[in-house]
Amino acid sequence: MSGDHHGEAAAISAHVRHVETLLEQRGLVDPQELDRALTAFLAGSSPASGARVVARAWSDEGFRTRLLGDANTALPELGLSMGGGLQEQRLKVVENTDSAHNVVVCTLCSCYPIALLGPSPTWYKSEAYRSRVVRDPRGVLREFGFELAPDLDITVWDASAESRYMVLPRRPGGTEGLDEKQLAALVTRNGLLGVAAV
Ligand code: FE
């Protein structure tokens, strides 16, 4: 998808609604069944779920290793998944360190780990972010009020229909005494996408 993305998106949703109506009229699809599937898909999908995952990774070294190795098999340890009853999407969690920083984008359209984080923010879908973050990540992060140390390596991960990404931010200093709930409260959605420190 490129060009007039919003026009295309509107055309696609109109088309989907039309097909949905036809299927309902012919008794091929139960609207309540559809609602149930959607509700299941979105249950627990919010940035708070991503923050829980991060807080667990900061607190539990074994979980962190499993999460970075294969996020899809680690998420169910927290009762989370990338499927929510529908077909599961691949999630790769990329870790920020004191020498490497990660940022997430979908340059083609707006692929995003919706099943885990809920709907994507508007800026994530904007042409400006999608086209510029690859060419000038430091400049774009600066506009988010996030100044990266000059010696940090930046990797920009381009999401696709097959692969979605989430950032594991660095654990802030001075948080040794915090429990998982308190740690989760420090994590923002922007931090999960790499446009904020945490
Ligand atoms: Fe996309």
Side-chain angles (χ1 to χ4, degrees):
M1 270 193 223
S2 63
D4 184 6
H5 183 67
H6 289 111
E8 279 177 35
I12 290 169
S13 25
H15 187 66
V16 167
R17 208 166 308 122
H18 178 64
V19 171
E20 202 180 301
T21 306
L22 287 177
L23 290 171
E24 284 173 20
Q25 283 170 355
R26 291 168 199 192
L28 295 172
V29 156
D30 175 357
Q32 287 179 353
E33 194 59 47
L34 264 186
D35 284 346
R36 263 196 297 277
L38 277 173
T39 305
F41 181 74
L42 291 172
S45 63
S46 92
S49 295
R52 275 177 61 212
V53 173
V54 167
R56 175 65 58 88
W58 285 344
S59 313
D60 178 338
E61 186 59 29
F63 178 77
R64 179 184 149 273
T65 304
R66 292 190 293 280
L67 181 73
L68 295 173
D70 183 349
N72 290 75
T73 60
L75 288 181
E77 296 182 37
L78 293 179
L80 300 168
S81 84
M82 284 294 290
L86 302 179
Q87 181 165 20
E88 186 157 351
Q89 306 161 338
R90 294 303 305 170
L91 178 70
K92 175 146 185 64
V93 175
V94 289
E95 182 185 36
N96 289 344
T97 66
D98 54 12
S99 61
H101 184 80
N102 298 282
V103 184
V104 180
V105 67
C106 172
T107 55
L108 267 184
C109 43
S110 53
C111 300
Y112 188 81
I114 295 175
L116 182 63
L117 301 184
S120 60
T122 306
W123 58 259
Y124 186 86
K125 292 171 268 199
S126 73
E127 171 79 27
Y129 177 75
R130 288 163 36 223
S131 59
R132 289 184 49 231
V133 75
V134 177
R135 278 185 280 122
D136 180 20
R138 277 172 202 282
V140 170
L141 295 191
R142 202 170 292 127
E143 290 165 23
F144 279 91
F146 182 26
E147 190 72 45
L148 268 192
D151 54 338
L152 271 183
D153 286 328
I154 306 180
T155 306
V156 179
W157 298 88
D158 193 354
S160 67
E162 295 77 33
S163 299
R164 315 288 161 113
Y165 298 94
M166 187 182 91
V167 173
L168 173 57
R170 292 167 70 190
R171 180 171 176 162
T175 59
E176 292 73 18
L178 302 188
D179 65 22
E180 275 186 43
K181 206 168 173 190
Q182 293 167 319
L183 288 171
L186 302 174
V187 181
T188 67
R189 180 189 56 201
N190 284 8
L192 300 171
L193 302 173
V195 300
V198 72

